[in-house]
Amino acid sequence: METVRTALPRPRRRSLHLGLAVVTVTLGLIALFVLPGAYAHSTSSGRTATTVLAGIWLPTAFYALNRASGTTTLTPRGCGSGRR
């Protein structure tokens, strides 16, 4: 049995990266312009909402990029690096 490397096809990776970029820019614009105005007349700060948004979104975006760019190598000894 030969070694086989699996990954997402290039068009699928590109569409995932483009979608992630569009959502990231949209959420960034909301965090910069909408949230501070929405919290302007309250005791809560727009910075808190922006921080929570960034704290949730950034790890999610990095995880999605890692999963989309990752590969798996299948060897006769099993998955991964071949160590068992």
Side-chain angles (χ1 to χ4, degrees):
M1 181 179 180
E2 63 186 53
T3 300
V4 178
R5 189 170 156 222
T6 62
L8 281 177
R10 185 173 295 221
R12 178 89 170 132
R13 267 196 325 262
R14 282 185 187 157
S15 66
L16 190 134
H17 290 161
L18 179 63
L20 191 61
V22 167
V23 171
T24 300
V25 168
T26 303
L27 287 176
L29 291 174
I30 288 171
L32 285 174
F33 297 111
V34 176
L35 290 179
Y39 288 97
H41 301 293
S42 68
T43 57
S44 177
S45 172
R47 276 187 252 168
T48 304
T50 303
T51 304
V52 170
L53 182 70
I56 293 170
W57 177 249
L58 288 176
T60 304
F62 288 130
Y63 177 77
L65 285 172
N66 183 28
R67 299 297 289 180
S69 302
T71 61
T72 299
T73 304
L74 304 174
T75 65
R77 296 178 62 191
C79 294
S81 63
R83 287 179 278 163
R84 220 159 160 132

